[in-house]
Every structure is written in structure tokens, then in C-alpha cells.
């Protein structure tokens, strides 16, 4: 495992080379370096995975990061079952996105092209640091790194003010969550004197239940920021301002999965905080259903996918909240496959449409873009939870666990699944079927994307179709859930703690019934959406009633503007105009003016005429004499 440091180091080297030599490197060389370092990291991650699979988990300490009399924190990496799975997702999917970018971003200037790849490499480096860290401090460094990179990449086209505002929004909302994370780490350091995972989890009994609840809630605040949960989710749909491959990277392989990883890594703490788990489950299911309703009425192809990401993340948090840690990690993996596929497919569509993102101006692309269409369809089936596509297995595992916890959670989860099937096949039908509704120029420009785009789509489509077979549930195959078997050591301690409150396992008959309801409902929603929107005709009719509310995203952004942004702006304006300009500036400027005036008046005494000086001296002596005489008579 001594080679493990190479996994994050290689993307960092790629960032430095492409960043420092961006003015002199050719696009071909930039693409080779940017993609090559990620491929090399993937190969090393694969080696690490097989080492772990053979039972060789390890903590590799590289150097002392902080060493004081009361605190010692190593810069160390932890390679185990959980981190190795995330390493494969980040580097594997990340590599395909890099390859895709070599074609998608080829029209950029040489210098900007290199800058883009430098940012991508830095993004992957930060995420690898986050999942490899053996303590919360190293995790936090990577945590902040992905936040910075998202800001740089969302605002990549920084001359567009709207895009820059989207980048700032993402940055600020994430900082709010990060404060919670930071406070939790300080709390752990204050109580246990360490942030090291092994030591913290081994000494968790030294914390009181209230302390564990407080720490886990603060960590969850951090997770709501990074993984876009209520109330800190609104930055993610706006993050569509960045290039489409960036959206794929953020939504599938890096940033948004950070919160899920952090809770899965801290599973022992969360299992000992049932109150926090309830909060996680409720926030998760509420986010899933809220985002799904918004996605129903979006017409921007990337916005639909963005809200679907928020919704799917909600399912992951639901899984974590009901103690189905393996199910949540499983859904991270399958979601990485089909969401990267869908975003890259959307990018291929946007590329063919000359930058058009409004689905109302698309239609009939199926006959022009065979590979994009076929792979995108596979992604739609996967996210809709249709068997035997990957999303079916992971989502069903979460829903079954939710049913064991509470049938109400299951019902809401199934409604969300039906909405998912509806809005995804609405998107598919409006984009690929029916008549073309764009301009003649766009129609003339329609074509399939080059191989650098279609090959990653095909690979991801295969993964989206068969990726779920790694977690076949017991009801279908005894011992078929290989992922659960692999991750068992990570969640073993939580399993023991959960055993005391374990519900009666679902019978096979119940599991079949639950699957039948969710799949049958999703199939009906799918067919209805396909039938309705394959004949879609563009109209000027505006949305009304509930449709208008959903199209405007429940007016959440407006609500935040009204209760947070505008009051803060008013306070800032008051502090600037009244406190600073009239108060602080007035005092400072007044002192300056007083000194200036006094010096000008005193300067008049310096006339340069000796007679005047003698006169002043005589007058002064007379004044002193009178004052002395006066004081003597009085006192």
C-alpha cells in the first residue's frame, strides 16, 4: 500500500503541468496529460481495490501534519473497503469525463483549454484527498478543495455575470454547511483530543448521547451543503452554468457524493444517535420529493437532470437515515454511472443543437443521433428504477429499508420514484421523439457526436445497465449481494448496534409486493409520459396554478431572497452608508480636517519677519507675567 499516495498525487501533477504551462502546451498534449493522470490513478485504485479485497486494508501515514504538546494529527491515508469503492468511482467515471471533455471543449482557446483541464485535475485531486483521508482534518482539506474547484469550474466562463453569480452562490452556500462540519471537528478535538477515525470510533463511548447527537447534527449540516439537501440545495441547479462535463463530474463522481461518504464513514457515530438518523431520513425524503416535483416542469434539459440529482441524493440520505448504509453507498455507485451518462448525453444533444438547452425547441433527435439516443434511453431506464437496470437494485434496497423503518417513508419514496419515471421520460420524449421543433439552421447542423464523446457514453451505458448486478438482493439470489459482503467490515460495528433494535426482516412475499408496486407504478408513469410528450407541440401558453408554482421551483429562491438575501443587503447598505460613511469615515475625516485646519492657522504665525517674532515674544512674556501675577493673588 506504499504506492497509495500516487492516486491523488498524479492528478495534482496534472494540475500543475497544465496550469503552469497552459500558454505553451498544445491541446492534444493538454488532453493527454489531463486524462492520462486520471487513468493512471484509476489503474492504481484498481490495484488498491484488489489489495483490500484480499484483506489488506491499511492506514498509510505520510508525515506529521500537526504536532503540538496536546494534539497530533498525521497526514495519513486510509485504504479500506469504503474508500476503495469511492476511489474507483471517482477515477473511473472521472477519466471518462476527461476523455469526453477533450472533444466537448475543443473549441476553447489553447490557454483556456489547459486551464479547464487543470481545474478538472485539481477537482479530482481534492475529492481523492477527501475519501482517502484517515482523519476528519484531511477530509476537511479535501472538502474545502472540492468547494473551491466547484467555484472555479461553475464560473469557468467568468465574463458572464450570471454564471459568476451562480459560482458565488455555490461557494457561499457551501461555506454555511462547512461551518457545521468545522464545529463538529472542533468538538471532537475538544472532547477526545483526536480527529483520527480509528481513535474516534474506538472512544465513542466516552461521549455522552447528547454530545454524539450534537456532533452528528453538525456533521450533517456540512453534508446538506455539499450534497445539496434542504435547505442548502438551491446552489446545485444553478451550477449548470458551468460546462456540461463539469456538471457530470460534480453530480456523478465528486462533490455531491461527499456528504454521503462522510456519513457512511461516520456510521458508528450516527448509529449511536437515533435522533440524528431520524433528521437525516426526514430531510432526505423531503428533498427527494421536493426536487422531483420541481423537475416535472423544467424545460431546460440540464435543469431537469440537476433536480433529479438533488432528488436521488435525497434517496441516498433516506438510506443513511434508516440505517441502510450499504444501500446508500450502492446508490452512490449506480447513480454515478447513470447520472454521468445522462449529463454527458445531454451535452452531446446540446452540442448537436448548437448550444440550445430548451427541450421545447428539440424533438425527433433519435434519427440523427443513434448512439446518444440509445445510451440516453438506457440511463432513463436506470434512473427510473426499471429492472434489471442498475437503479432498480439500489433504489429498491433503500425503499425496502425505509419500509422496515416506516411505511410512510416508503409511500413517499415510491411517489418520488413515480415522479422520477415521469419527468425523465418526459425529457426523453420531448428530446428524442416526435417532430423537430428547432430552427432550420439547427436541423441542418444535427449530427452524431464524435467518438471521444460517444465511446464514454457507451461505456457508461453498459455500466448503467449491468452495474446493479453487484448487489442482487437475497430475495432473487442467495449470496448475490457482493457489495454488501465487501463492505461488511466497514458497517460491522453499526450492525451489532442496530441488532438490538432490529425490526423483523421482511418476508420474501412482502418484498415482491413492494417491488411490484414501485416498478408497476413507475412503468405506468413512464408509459404515460412517453405517450403524452412524444406528440408534444410547442405553444405560447404559459403555465398556471400549481404548474406555474412548480415551474418557478416553489418560489424557494424568491423566499430566500426575501428573508435572507435582501435583509442582509439592507443591513450591509446601512452599515456602508450610515455606520461607515457617516460614522467611522466622519470621525476619521473630521480628525484629519481638524488637524489640517489647526496646522494652517498655526502656520500663519511663521511669517519670517523678525520684528513680528520679537513682538510675539514680548506679548508672550507679558501674558506669562500677568498670569503668574493673577495666580499669585488668587492662590
Amino acid at each position: 500500500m506504499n504506492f497509495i499516495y500516487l492516486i491523488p498525487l498524479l492528478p495534482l501533477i496534472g494540475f500543475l503541468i497544465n496550469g503552469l504551462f497552459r500558454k505553451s502546451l498544445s491541446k492534444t498534449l493538454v488532453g493527454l496529460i489531463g486524462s492520462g493522470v486520471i487513468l493512471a490513478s484509476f489503474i492504481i485504485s484498481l490495484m488498491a481495490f484488489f489489495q483490500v479485497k484480499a484483506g489488506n486494508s491499511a492506514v498509510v501515514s505520510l508525515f506529521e501534519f500537526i504536532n503540538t504538546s496536546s494534539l497530533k494529527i498525521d497526514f495519513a491515508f486510509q485504504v479500506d473497503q469504503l474508500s476503495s469503492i469511492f476511489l474507483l468511482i471517482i477515477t473511473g467515471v472521472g477519466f471518462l469525463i476527461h476523455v469526453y471533455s477533450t472533444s466537448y471543449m475543443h473549441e476553447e482557446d489553447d490557454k483556456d483549454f489547459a486551464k479547464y483541464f487543470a481545474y478538472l485535475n485539481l477537482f479530482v485531486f481534492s475529492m481523492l484527498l477527501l475519501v482517502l483521508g484517515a482523519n476528519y482534518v484531511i477530509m476537511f482539506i479535501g472538502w474545502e478543495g472540492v468547494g473551491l474547484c466547484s467555484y472555479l469550474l461553475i464560473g469557468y466562463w467568468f465574463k458572464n455575470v450570471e454564471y459568476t453569480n451562480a459560482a458565488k452562490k455555490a461557494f457561499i452556500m457551501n461555506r454555511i454547511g462547512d461551518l457545521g462540519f468545522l464545529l463538529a471537528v472542533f468538538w471532537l478535538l475538544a472532547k477526545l483530543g483526536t480527529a483520527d477515525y480509528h481513535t474516534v470510533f474506538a472512544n465513542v463511548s466516552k461521549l455522552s448521547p447528547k454530545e454524539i447527537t450534537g456532533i452528528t447534527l453538525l456533521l450533517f449540516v456540512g453534508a446538506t451543503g455539499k450534497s445539496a439537501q434542504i435547505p442548502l440545495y438551491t446552489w446545485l441547479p444553478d451550477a449548470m452554468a458551468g460546462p456540461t462535463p463539469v456538471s457530470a463530474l460534480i453530480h456523478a463522481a465528486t462533490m455531491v457524493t461527499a456528504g454521503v461518504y462522510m456519513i457512511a464513514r461516520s456510521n458508528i457515530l450516527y448509529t449511536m444517535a437515533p435522533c440524528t438518523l431520524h433528521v437525516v431520513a426526514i430531510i432526505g425524503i423531503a428533498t427527494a420529493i421536493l426536487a422531483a416535483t420541481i423537475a416535472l416542469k423544467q424545460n431546460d434539459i440540464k435543469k431537469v437532470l440537476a433536480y433529479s440529482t438533488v432528488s436521488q441524493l435525497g434517496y441516498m440520505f433516506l438510506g443513511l437515515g434508516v440505517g441502510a448504509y450499504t444501500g446508500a453507498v450502492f446508490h452512490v455507485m449506480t447513480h454515478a454511472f447513470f447520472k454521468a451518462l445522462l449529463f454527458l448525453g445531454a451535452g452531446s444533444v446540446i452540442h448537436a443543437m448548437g448550444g440550445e438547452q430548451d427541450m421545447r425547441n428539440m424533438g425527433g433527435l433519435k434519427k440523427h443521433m443513434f448512439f446518444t439516443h440509445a445510451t440516453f434511453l438506457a440511463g432513463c431506464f436506470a434512473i427510473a428504477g426499471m429492472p434489471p437496470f442498475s437503479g432498480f437494485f439500489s433504489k429498491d434496497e433503500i425503499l425496502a429499508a425505509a419500509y422496515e423503518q416506516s411505511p410512510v417513508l416508503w409511500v413517499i419514496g415510491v411517489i418520488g420514484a413515480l415522479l422520477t419515471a415521469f419527468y425523465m421520460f418526459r425529457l426523453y420524449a420531448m428530446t428524442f421523439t416526435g417532430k423537430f421543433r428547432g430552427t432550420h439552421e439547427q436541423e441542418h447542423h444535427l449530427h452524431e457526436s464524435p467518438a471521444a464523446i460517444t465511446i464514454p457514453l457507451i461505456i457508461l451505458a453498459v455500466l448503467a445497465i449491468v452495474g446493479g448486478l453487484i448487489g442482487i438482493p437475497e430475495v432473487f439470489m442467495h449470496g448475490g449481494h457482493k457489495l454488501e459482503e465487501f463492505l461488511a467490515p466497514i458497517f460491522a460495528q453499526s450492525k451489532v448496534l442496530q441488532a438490538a433494535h432490529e425490526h423483523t426482516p421482511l418476508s420474501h412475499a412482502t418484498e415482491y409486493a413492494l417491488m411490484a408496486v414501485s416498478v408497476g407504478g413507475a412503468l405506468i408513469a413512464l408509459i404515460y409520459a412517453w405517450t403524452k410528450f412524444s406528440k408534444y407541440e410547442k405553444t405560447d401558453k404559459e403555465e398556471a396554478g400549481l404548474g406555474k408554482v412548480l415551474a418557478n421551483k416553489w418560489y424557494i429562491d424568491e423566499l430566500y431572497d426575501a428573508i435572507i438575501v435582501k435583509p442582509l443587503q439592507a443591513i450591509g447598505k446601512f452599515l456602508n452608508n450610515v455606520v461607515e460613511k457617516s460614522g467611522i469615515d466622519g470621525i476619521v475625516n473630521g480628525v484629519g480636517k481638524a488637524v489640517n485646519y489647526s496646522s494652517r492657522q498655526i502656520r500663519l504665525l511663521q511669517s519670517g519677519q523678525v520684528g513680528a517674532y520679537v513682538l510675539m515674544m514680548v506679548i508672550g512674556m507679558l501674558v506669562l507675567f500677568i498670569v503668574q501675577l493673577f495666580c499669585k493673588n488668587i492662590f
Side-chain angles (χ1 to χ4, degrees):
M1 286 292 184
N2 291 332
F3 56 83
I4 206 70
Y5 69 92
L6 289 172
I7 295 175
L9 180 63
L10 288 167
L12 182 63
I13 291 172
F15 158 71
L16 292 173
I17 294 175
N18 280 333
L20 294 174
F21 303 103
R22 64 186 181 279
K23 295 180 181 175
S24 53
L25 294 175
S26 67
K27 285 184 179 176
T28 304
L29 200 52
V30 167
L32 283 173
I33 294 169
S35 305
V37 293
I38 305 300
L39 177 61
S41 289
F42 174 68
I43 292 169
I44 300 171
S45 299
L46 212 52
M47 293 165 58
F49 170 77
F50 285 114
Q51 286 274 326
V52 172
K53 196 167 184 296
N56 298 321
S57 299
V59 174
V60 181
S61 182
L62 301 179
F63 54 86
E64 285 183 347
F65 184 56
I66 298 174
N67 190 358
T68 67
S69 58
S70 59
L71 179 64
K72 182 175 177 299
I73 295 174
D74 285 348
F75 198 97
F77 292 152
Q78 181 159 328
V79 192
D80 57 16
Q81 291 79 3
L82 186 61
S83 56
S84 63
I85 286 288
F86 273 82
L87 289 179
L88 290 178
I89 294 171
I90 296 162
T91 55
V93 177
F95 169 66
L96 295 175
I97 293 171
H98 276 68
V99 172
Y100 178 98
S101 296
T102 58
S103 176
Y104 192 85
M105 300 297 287
H106 203 263
E107 293 182 4
E108 294 290 304
D109 294 338
D110 287 0
K111 190 175 65 174
D112 291 339
F113 188 79
K115 184 179 74 174
Y116 169 81
F117 271 90
Y119 288 167
L120 279 192
N121 283 170
L122 186 64
F123 206 160
V124 174
F125 160 75
S126 302
M127 192 64 196
L128 291 172
L129 201 61
L130 191 155
V131 300
L132 272 175
N135 55 63
Y136 286 105
V137 175
I138 304 303
M139 181 194 276
F140 188 73
I141 295 172
W143 191 272
E144 288 303 295
V146 294
L148 169 66
C149 294
S150 69
Y151 168 76
L152 295 173
L153 284 166
I154 294 167
Y156 173 74
W157 288 306
F158 62 89
K159 292 181 181 177
N160 185 315
V161 176
E162 189 178 341
Y163 294 176
T164 308
N165 287 337
K168 287 192 289 187
K169 184 176 183 180
F171 191 78
I172 292 167
M173 295 198 81
N174 272 279
R175 296 293 77 71
I176 297 170
D178 293 350
L179 178 62
F181 188 116
L182 206 54
L183 290 173
V185 175
F186 285 144
W187 200 335
L188 284 171
L189 290 173
K191 297 301 294 186
L192 301 177
T194 180
D196 175 74
Y197 297 145
H198 280 303
T199 314
V200 168
F201 301 151
N203 292 285
V204 69
S205 58
K206 294 181 180 176
L207 299 171
S208 70
K210 286 182 180 177
E211 287 170 336
I212 297 174
T213 302
I215 290 168
T216 50
L217 281 173
L218 286 171
L219 287 174
F220 180 57
V221 171
T224 59
K226 277 289 178 289
S227 297
Q229 297 294 288
I230 292 173
L232 300 177
Y233 74 93
T234 56
W235 67 270
L236 191 58
D238 288 2
M240 297 301 98
T244 301
V246 171
S247 304
L249 195 60
I250 292 176
H251 287 245
T254 56
M255 189 164 168
V256 299
T257 62
V260 181
Y261 171 79
M262 184 256 281
I263 293 180
R265 172 62 73 192
S266 312
N267 66 87
I268 299 165
L269 287 171
Y270 278 86
T271 303
M272 294 182 71
C275 177
T276 306
L277 283 181
H278 289 315
V279 173
V280 173
I282 291 168
I283 293 290
I285 194 64
T287 305
I289 199 77
L290 177 76
T293 58
I294 295 173
L296 293 173
K297 286 292 181 179
Q298 300 305 305
N299 293 314
D300 184 316
I301 188 169
K302 287 177 67 177
K303 282 285 178 71
V304 177
L305 295 179
Y307 280 104
S308 82
T309 299
V310 178
S311 181
Q312 295 304 308
L313 287 166
Y315 280 107
M316 295 172 207
F317 279 94
L318 172 64
L320 294 169
V322 297
Y325 300 115
T326 302
V329 175
F330 190 14
H331 204 51
V332 167
M333 189 186 79
T334 60
H335 180 262
F337 299 151
F338 58 70
K339 188 49 62 71
L341 168 63
L342 291 168
F343 263 113
L344 297 186
S348 180
V349 167
I350 294 167
H351 184 259
M353 290 289 297
E356 179 65 72
Q357 294 186 196
D358 193 327
M359 298 185 303
R360 292 171 295 188
N361 298 325
M362 298 179 184
L365 301 187
K366 180 169 67 173
K367 58 187 175 185
H368 300 284
M369 308 177 74
F370 172 76
F371 288 109
T372 301
H373 154 257
T375 54
F376 200 94
L377 184 60
C380 288
F381 278 119
I383 194 173
M386 289 292 110
F389 292 82
S390 58
F392 162 73
F393 294 100
S394 54
K395 194 182 290 184
D396 179 73
E397 186 171 336
I398 291 173
L399 289 176
Y403 184 84
E404 285 188 65
Q405 186 83 243
S406 163
V408 174
L409 291 176
W410 178 82
V411 169
I412 301 173
V414 168
I415 292 172
L418 306 190
L419 296 178
T420 304
F422 180 85
Y423 67 68
M424 283 309 302
F425 278 87
R426 170 180 176 265
L427 183 158
Y428 169 79
M430 288 179 70
T431 304
F432 292 103
T433 65
K435 295 179 182 177
F436 183 71
R437 299 179 294 275
T439 64
H440 287 298
E441 186 182 350
Q442 287 173 325
E443 190 169 18
H444 181 69
H445 185 256
L446 289 175
H447 61 280
E448 184 54 280
S449 297
I453 289 179
T454 54
I455 289 175
L457 291 180
I458 293 168
I459 295 171
L460 287 167
V462 172
L463 292 171
I465 294 169
V466 304
L469 299 179
I470 197 174
I472 300 174
E474 192 70 17
V475 67
F476 289 147
M477 180 192 290
H478 177 65
H481 205 316
K482 298 299 179 187
L483 184 65
E484 185 176 38
E485 185 181 317
F486 180 70
L487 291 173
I490 300 293
F491 305 125
Q493 200 172 338
S494 291
K495 283 283 183 189
V496 173
L497 293 170
Q498 287 172 341
H501 309 287
E502 195 88 351
H503 298 284
T504 306
L506 296 178
S507 67
H508 285 354
T510 306
E511 282 197 65
Y512 280 127
L514 297 179
M515 283 184 211
V517 171
S518 62
V519 173
L523 188 61
I524 293 170
L526 178 163
I527 294 170
Y528 176 65
W530 193 326
T531 307
K532 181 177 180 181
F533 291 100
S534 60
K535 298 171 185 173
Y536 176 79
E537 294 286 344
K538 188 178 177 182
T539 67
D540 295 328
K541 187 179 177 182
E542 292 187 0
E543 296 285 354
L546 181 61
K548 186 177 180 180
V549 174
L550 297 181
N552 285 287
K553 302 164 283 186
W554 291 101
Y555 294 101
I556 300 293
D557 279 314
E558 288 78 2
L559 180 66
Y560 283 2
D561 272 348
I563 64 173
I564 299 174
V565 178
K566 287 181 179 174
L568 284 176
Q569 286 177 337
I571 293 170
K573 197 173 179 180
F574 171 79
L575 292 173
N576 180 49
N577 294 336
V578 178
V579 176
E580 183 171 346
K581 289 184 178 177
S582 302
I584 298 173
D585 282 1
I587 294 170
V588 173
N589 292 336
V591 170
K593 286 178 181 176
V595 172
N596 184 275
Y597 176 79
S598 303
S599 62
R600 277 192 283 113
Q601 299 309 312
I602 294 172
R603 183 173 56 82
L604 297 176
L605 300 175
Q606 303 296 319
S607 62
Q609 296 178 358
V610 177
Y613 293 159
V614 172
L615 176 63
M616 292 297 294
M617 185 175 68
V618 172
I619 293 173
M621 290 173 65
L622 286 172
V623 169
L624 288 174
F625 176 76
I626 293 168
V627 169
Q628 191 177 20
L629 184 64
F630 177 77
C631 291
K632 188 176 180 181
N633 292 334
I634 295 298
F635 301 104

